[in-house]
Amino acid sequence: GAVVSQHPSRVICKSGTSVKIECRSLDFQATTMFWYRQFPKQSLMLMATSNEGSKATYEQGVEKDKFLINHASLTLSTLTVTSAHPEDSSFYICSAREGNSGANVLTFGAGSRLTVL
Amino acid sequence: AQSVTQPDIHITVSEGASLELRCNYSYGATPYLFWYVQSPGQGLQLLLKYFSGDTLVQGIKGFEAEFKRSQSSFNLRKPSVHWSDAAEYFCAVGARNNNDMRFGAGTRLTVKP
């Protein structure tokens, strides 16, 4: 079945630095990928929709200059948390939709836990 | 706008007992409905989905869910719970031509020995 890989699974960084998280579709092409943020014991909140070859679409309240998304190929999307602060500490999850599938079935990565000191 | 409500934040059941997790949705058109399971520190795994057709859908790990349009519900059931079923369960709603889906707040399942 479809597999989505996220890297790194855990990252600790100092306040003010930038962190990049990768999301790869391993055995399928993903024209659309999604980035979510999950706080402890809470649901997933959609941050942005990443479309290959075009600008990401951000949800209301998500700072696009803070959370840079790049979807340069059909198998890779990256989320960069710029000038990270402790309040950015969270669990970030990506998902991908295979090609032009109209069935809207998403495959999720295992998530990346970011801790900002 | 679409939304999902999972009324139960936390449910505890004994191993071997039956389970039902509730999900209610709000959506203007025909919804695509999903149940996902998340183990601690992990991503989400799809248990089952409903797009159309038979309103009782079978999923993996012995789970099933029933779509009831009149009640705007998509409750998840399992006849006999195993200790390995302890996890967080999320109901989600999407649309065929939408790119995103919306998740409920989740229900945490604890299984007693």
Side-chain angles (χ1 to χ4, degrees):
Chain A
V3 177
V4 171
S5 172
Q6 252 184 272
H7 178 81
S9 57
R10 292 177 180 270
V11 56
I12 301 173
C13 70
K14 293 181 179 180
S15 185
T17 62
S18 294
V19 174
K20 180 184 287 188
I21 301 170
E22 294 186 346
C23 180
R24 292 181 184 273
S25 55
L26 297 186
D27 50 0
F28 66 99
Q29 293 184 332
T31 55
T32 304
M33 290 185 174
F34 304 94
W35 287 96
Y36 302 84
R37 183 172 182 177
Q38 185 180 31
F39 290 102
K41 299 185 178 181
Q42 295 188 26
S43 187
L44 282 71
M45 299 300 296
L46 180 66
M47 298 175 65
T49 301
S50 170
N51 297 298
E52 187 268 337
S54 64
K55 291 183 179 181
T57 303
Y58 290 82
E59 294 297 301
Q60 190 173 9
V62 178
E63 300 175 58
K64 60 182 179 181
D65 295 330
K66 173 76 169 175
F67 299 99
L68 300 179
I69 291 173
N70 183 279
H71 194 160
S73 79
L74 285 171
T75 59
L76 174 65
S77 176
T78 60
L79 168 69
T80 301
V81 183
T82 63
S83 187
H85 290 282
E87 58 266 29
D88 299 323
S89 298
S90 192
F91 194 56
Y92 294 88
I93 302 177
C94 73
S95 69
R97 190 176 77 179
E98 182 172 358
N100 293 319
S101 168
N104 205 15
V105 176
L106 301 179
T107 302
F108 286 81
S112 300
R113 182 163 303 284
L114 170 63
T115 302
V116 185
L117 303 177
Chain B
Q2 60 220 46
S3 66
V4 180
T5 302
Q6 291 180 247
D8 304 305
I9 297 174
H10 184 202
I11 284 182
T12 299
V13 299
S14 297
E15 189 168 17
S18 63
L19 170 71
E20 182 169 28
L21 303 182
R22 296 182 291 165
C23 173
N24 293 96
Y25 68 90
S26 174
Y27 192 66
T30 300
Y32 282 40
L33 295 159
F34 307 81
W35 274 100
Y36 287 88
V37 61
Q38 183 183 34
S39 297
Q42 299 295 314
L44 275 67
Q45 181 182 22
L46 179 67
L47 286 176
L48 48 79
K49 61 186 182 292
Y50 171 77
F51 291 164
S52 63
D54 192 346
T55 56
L56 183 63
V57 294
Q58 303 296 321
I60 63 172
K61 302 184 180 185
F63 286 93
E64 66 177 27
E66 186 171 12
F67 170 58
K68 293 185 177 179
R69 185 186 298 276
S70 62
Q71 299 178 19
S72 297
S73 69
F74 189 56
N75 294 348
L76 181 71
R77 300 194 294 252
K78 186 169 184 177
S80 178
V81 170
H82 188 261
W83 64 266
S84 60
D85 293 324
E88 189 86 19
Y89 290 80
F90 293 98
C91 181
V93 62
R96 182 176 179 84
N97 294 321
N98 274 0
N99 279 331
D100 68 314
M101 66 174 60
R102 303 292 168 167
F103 290 84
T107 298
R108 184 161 59 95
L109 174 64
T110 298
V111 181
K112 295 190 300 183

